[in-house]
């Protein structure tokens, strides 16, 4: 059959039709894509009668509309003697839907199914000969993350109870909070309602969409940095406050008006920064100023700016780092120590390249930026302070630009009313900004403490600022923070208008590159990076993960976000690489 000579040959799109015909006449093992094969079969470029057999990979993707199903029908019309086999390494896809395995077998025209799970005797015996050393590290969440996690679970429970209450005729007992931790939780919920999806009310469809949003929040809490998570929460609130036409949204998601949603909003903000309202009438005494000068002189920071120029005065950065970052740095330090203690012997497989696997490209970029800018000598929980400050700067710039766009929109609305409409148009156009300003002034006056013997609104001299919180009087939940978000955006827009004129120009990257190339010690530092000095950060993919493992041959693999499928790939990689266990 040509298994040894000439061996496996791969047909690509670069081969012409004549070259492929000659290859088919020679016979042997041929790897070909379904798109090229179906064209050659329809044009009779390949003799279908002489095909000994077809092996189909990724059988879980075969559907009645797929190209593979059409190829098999063409193959069986002219060849009934050849064999047909199909393989799949993702059997979980065959559990979704109504009798999916039966449909796949029907399209493949096969009768027998062989299932080989991990605990199969033959598989277990083969993989455990060179068992992979897997060390699982449990990273506890911070207090704010625990509060957010508990609040999200409460929102999911409330949404599920509303969904079951509005659809009593359906059996939704399989939907529970425990299943919310799975990736396809919202798909499971929609599949339960798939038969009556065209008849369900708008409220039910909105609840299913809310389950998907809450599931993403649960995932982003562990994968996003605090500022990215806060930006996503604010985006959800903004999308539920107004419609696409700019009108108030009266069909808001119910979970946003609950008390747990308020906990999500407040805790997510406190992980990033504390935004305060500057109180008038607070004068810093001369003694306090002299005390700060003495502290600056002791610490050697006299004349140095205590705050960056891009940070407003009423924002105190907290910048809580994800707890996984500290564990990742400790693991890399431990790997570096093992590399120095036990170097790779000559002639043994495996390299000292560290492979870090993540669930998404966003997480990969986050880890790359953190590792390239971290301070390994800093205290635990502050190694990524530089990276978090850059993220805070990007977040404030993004929010300030939104505030500037809102101001332009308000000015455009007021100018569109025209000078002729002095009565009703003046009230609806120009006075809208004044109404919002009056409402904010009343809110500020109501939130101030009254000091005995002083007028309303006079605060004590000891407190310079009051933390800005969501308005709980008009509506509860996270939607109460809508006014806070708008107020912060307007303040940041005003701040950016004054800072942009004195902003420091960014350095020219081309000039810096030219200076580096012309440096005297360029040849001393330029060259290939040694394997023990390189860290590869990559997201989970399909079969290309096996190729990456075989090419890099890493001795150390860090799964930043665990995935059981990749653990199986590591076991196969370890078993197929003799000598790696001894190195």
């Amino acid at each position: 059959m040509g298994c040894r000579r000439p061996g496996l040959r791969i047909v690509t799109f670069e081969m012409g039709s004549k070259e492929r015909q000659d290859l088919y006449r020679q016979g042997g093992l041929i790897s070909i894509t379904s798109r090229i094969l179906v064209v050659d079969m329809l044009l009779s470029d390949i003799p279908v009668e002489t095909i000994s057999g077809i092996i189909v990979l990724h059988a879980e993707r075969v559907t009645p509309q797929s190209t593979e199903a059409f190829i098999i029908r063409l193959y069986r019309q002219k060849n009934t003697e050849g064999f047909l086999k199909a393989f799949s390494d993702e059997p979980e896809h065959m559990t979704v839907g109504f009798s999916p395995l039966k449909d796949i077998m029907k399209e493949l025209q096969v009768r027998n199914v062989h299932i080989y799970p991990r605990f199969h005797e033959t598989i277990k015996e083969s993989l455990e000969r060179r068992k992979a050393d897997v060390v699982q590290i449990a990273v506890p969440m911070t207090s704010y993350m625990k509060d957010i996690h508990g609040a999200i679970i409460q929102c999911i429970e409330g949404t599920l109870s509303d969904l079951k209450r509005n659809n009593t005729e359906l059996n939704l007992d399989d939907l529970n909070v425990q299943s919310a931790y799975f990736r396809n939780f919202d798909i499971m919920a929609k599949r339960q309602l798939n038969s009556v999806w065209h008849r369900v009310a708008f409220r039910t469809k909105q609840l299913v969409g809310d389950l998907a949003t809450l599931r993403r929040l649960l995932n982003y809490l562990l994968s996003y940095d605090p500022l990215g998570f806060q930006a996503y929460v604010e985006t959800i609130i903004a999308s539920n406050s107004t419609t696409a036409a700019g009108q108030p949204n009266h069909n808001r998601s119910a979970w946003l008006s609950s008390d747990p949603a308020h906990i999500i909003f407040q805790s997510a903000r406190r992980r990033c920064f504390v935004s305060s309202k500057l109180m008038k009438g607070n004068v810093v005494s001369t003694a306090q100023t002299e005390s700060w000068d003495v502290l600056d002189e002791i610490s050697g920071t006299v004349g140095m700016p205590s705050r960056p120029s891009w940070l407003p005065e009423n924002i105190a950065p907290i910048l809580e780092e994800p707890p996984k970052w500290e564990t990742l740095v400790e693991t890399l330090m431990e790997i570096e120590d093992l590399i120095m203690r036990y170097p790779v012997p000559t002639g043994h497989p495996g390299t000292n390249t560290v492979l870090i696997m993540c669930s998404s490209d966003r997480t990969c970029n986050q880890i790359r930026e953190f590792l390239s800018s971290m301070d390994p000598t800093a205290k635990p929980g502050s190694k990524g302070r530089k990276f978090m400050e850059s993220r805070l700067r990007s977040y404030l710039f993004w929010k300030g630009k939104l505030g500037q766009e809102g101001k332009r929109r308000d000015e455009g609305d007021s100018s569109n009313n025209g000078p002729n409409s002095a009565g009703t148009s003046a009230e609806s156009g120009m006075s809208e900004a004044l109404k919002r300003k009056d409402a904010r002034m009343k809110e500020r006056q109501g939130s101030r403490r009254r000091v005995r013997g002083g007028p309303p609104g006079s605060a004590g001299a000891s407190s310079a600022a009051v933390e800005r919180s969501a308005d709980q009087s008009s509506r509860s939940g996270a939607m109460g923070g809508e006014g806070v978000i708008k107020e912060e955006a307007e303040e940041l827009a005003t701040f950016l208008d004054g800072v942009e004129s004195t902003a420091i120009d960014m350095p020219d990257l081309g000039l810096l590159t030219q200076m580096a190339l012309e440096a005297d010690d360029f040849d001393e530092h330029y060259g290939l990076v040694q394997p023990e000095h390189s860290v590869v950060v990559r997201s989970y993919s399909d079969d290309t993960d096996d190729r990456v493992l075989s090419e890099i041959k890493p001795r150390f693999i860090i799964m930043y976000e665990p995935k059981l499928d990749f653990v199986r790939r590591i076991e196969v990689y370890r078993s197929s690489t003799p000598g790696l266990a001894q190195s």
Side-chain angles (χ1 to χ4, degrees), residues 383-486:
K383 290 182 171 61
R385 185 74 179 186
K386 183 178 179 181
F387 170 64
M388 291 298 296
E389 287 180 353
S390 65
R391 294 284 295 145
L392 177 61
R393 183 176 184 178
S394 301
Y395 168 82
L396 296 178
F397 181 79
W398 166 74
K399 200 166 182 179
K401 288 299 181 182
L402 292 181
Q404 290 178 350
E405 292 179 2
K407 284 185 177 180
R408 296 192 194 100
R409 195 182 304 113
D410 294 340
E411 292 174 358
D413 293 341
S414 60
S415 62
N416 289 335
N417 292 325
N420 295 328
S421 56
T424 309
S425 299
E427 293 179 358
S428 61
M430 196 65 181
S431 62
E432 286 296 329
L434 296 177
K435 289 179 181 179
R436 290 194 297 269
K437 184 176 180 181
D438 293 340
R440 287 196 297 269
M441 292 296 295
K442 291 180 181 179
E443 179 185 353
R444 293 175 182 176
Q445 291 176 0
S447 62
R448 295 175 182 174
R449 292 186 305 169
R450 178 161 181 155
V451 181
R452 180 174 298 179
S458 62
S462 59
S463 60
V466 176
E467 181 183 355
R468 182 184 281 116
S469 60
D471 182 14
Q472 294 283 339
S473 59
S474 58
R475 49 188 160 177
S476 59
M479 296 307 298
E482 179 185 355
V484 175
I485 297 174
K486 290 182 178 179

Side-chain angles (χ1 to χ4, degrees), residues 91-262:
E92 60 271 7
H93 291 278
M94 301 181 186
T95 61
V96 179
F98 182 73
S99 64
L101 182 59
K102 178 181 177 182
D103 297 338
I104 293 174
M105 294 177 62
K106 178 182 176 182
E107 298 302 327
L108 292 174
Q109 300 184 20
V110 295
R111 297 182 178 180
N112 299 324
V113 178
H114 300 278
I115 301 176
Y116 292 90
R118 174 63 178 82
F119 54 84
H120 193 277
E121 184 177 356
T122 306
I123 305 298
K124 184 178 180 180
E125 181 181 357
S126 176
L127 293 181
E128 288 188 351
R129 292 175 184 173
R130 301 182 183 92
K131 192 173 181 180
D133 300 329
V134 181
V135 180
Q136 184 176 359
I137 302 176
V139 182
M141 294 187 294
T142 62
S143 58
Y144 285 139
M145 294 178 67
K146 291 179 181 178
D147 295 341
I148 296 173
H149 179 267
I152 293 175
I153 295 299
Q154 293 180 25
C155 292
I156 292 177
E157 290 179 350
T159 305
L160 283 175
S161 61
D162 290 345
L163 185 63
K164 295 177 181 179
R165 192 183 308 115
N166 295 335
N167 300 273
T168 55
E169 69 278 3
L170 299 177
N171 185 14
L172 302 177
D173 295 336
D174 295 337
L175 297 179
N176 48 39
V177 180
Q178 286 74 19
S179 59
Y181 292 94
F182 296 100
R183 268 184 254 169
N184 56 349
F185 173 64
D186 52 316
I187 300 177
M188 293 168 54
K190 191 173 182 178
R191 194 192 326 138
Q192 295 287 340
L193 301 170
N194 196 19
S195 58
V196 293
W197 188 255
H198 60 287
R199 293 191 293 109
V200 297
F202 169 78
R203 175 71 172 172
T204 301
K205 295 181 179 179
Q206 187 183 40
L207 290 173
V208 174
D210 293 342
L211 288 177
T213 303
L214 291 170
R215 174 67 186 85
R216 284 193 294 270
L217 275 176
L218 205 59
N219 182 30
Y220 294 163
L221 176 63
L222 301 177
S223 59
Y224 279 21
D225 57 89
L227 290 164
F229 185 80
Q230 169 65 13
Y232 183 71
V233 171
E234 291 186 2
T235 304
I236 295 175
I237 297 175
S239 62
N240 279 268
S241 60
T242 56
T243 60
Q247 302 297 326
N249 187 8
H250 300 289
N251 295 320
R252 302 185 184 93
S253 299
W255 70 273
L256 285 171
S257 300
S258 61
D259 293 338
H262 176 70

